[in-house]
Amino acid sequence: MSTLAEAGDTKHPGGLTITTGPVTTRWQITGQLAPGEKHNDPEFPVEGEAFHAWTDPESSDHEGLLAMVLAQAKSPEIHDVERWSTRAEGKSKQGLTIIFHNGARVFVRKL
């Protein structure tokens, strides 16, 4: 695993690459503040029950591997993780939406 910058990607300011065997995938990471929150506001983390994990993914399922890592972190700030490939309308897209208890979201999009 490396950052996109370390992998030579200068187009996307934030993200990472994952390599398992001969397969490398690139993931862009962007965030959305909680409703009503501003960038200059102090951060007040909201904690709650951590989301539930699912079964171990295949090593070639990088979207599943990212979700598994988040689940195993058991962060009390994360409310849920949605896998885009499991949505009825999104089967052709891979990525994650990480939903925090305070309403903030992080989007992890496969490039």
Side-chain angles (χ1 to χ4, degrees):
M1 190 177 303
S2 65
T3 67
L4 287 177
E6 290 169 340
D9 186 331
T10 58
K11 182 178 178 184
H12 303 95
L16 54 95
T17 63
I18 299 174
T19 302
T20 55
V23 179
T24 297
T25 54
R26 297 178 317 128
W27 301 84
Q28 181 181 24
I29 302 171
T30 57
Q32 174 183 316
L33 296 173
E37 190 176 42
K38 305 285 186 230
H39 284 285
N40 293 335
D41 289 348
E43 186 176 338
F44 296 105
V46 176
E47 295 184 354
E49 187 173 330
F51 73 101
H52 299 268
W54 41 86
T55 59
D56 291 339
E58 297 291 324
S59 63
S60 61
D61 178 9
H62 292 177
E63 181 194 64
L65 290 171
L66 286 171
M68 182 185 71
V69 166
L70 290 165
Q72 290 180 346
K74 297 180 182 177
S75 171
E77 293 181 38
I78 298 176
H79 171 69
D80 199 9
V81 174
E82 296 176 354
R83 290 183 61 179
W84 299 358
S85 67
T86 62
R87 296 179 186 170
E89 74 281 359
K91 293 208 179 283
S92 64
K93 296 181 182 178
Q94 287 196 355
L96 302 172
T97 301
I98 304 161
I99 304 165
F100 294 85
H101 285 287
N102 70 353
R105 294 172 185 258
V106 170
F107 305 97
V108 183
R109 175 178 70 101
K110 183 178 178 185
L111 298 173

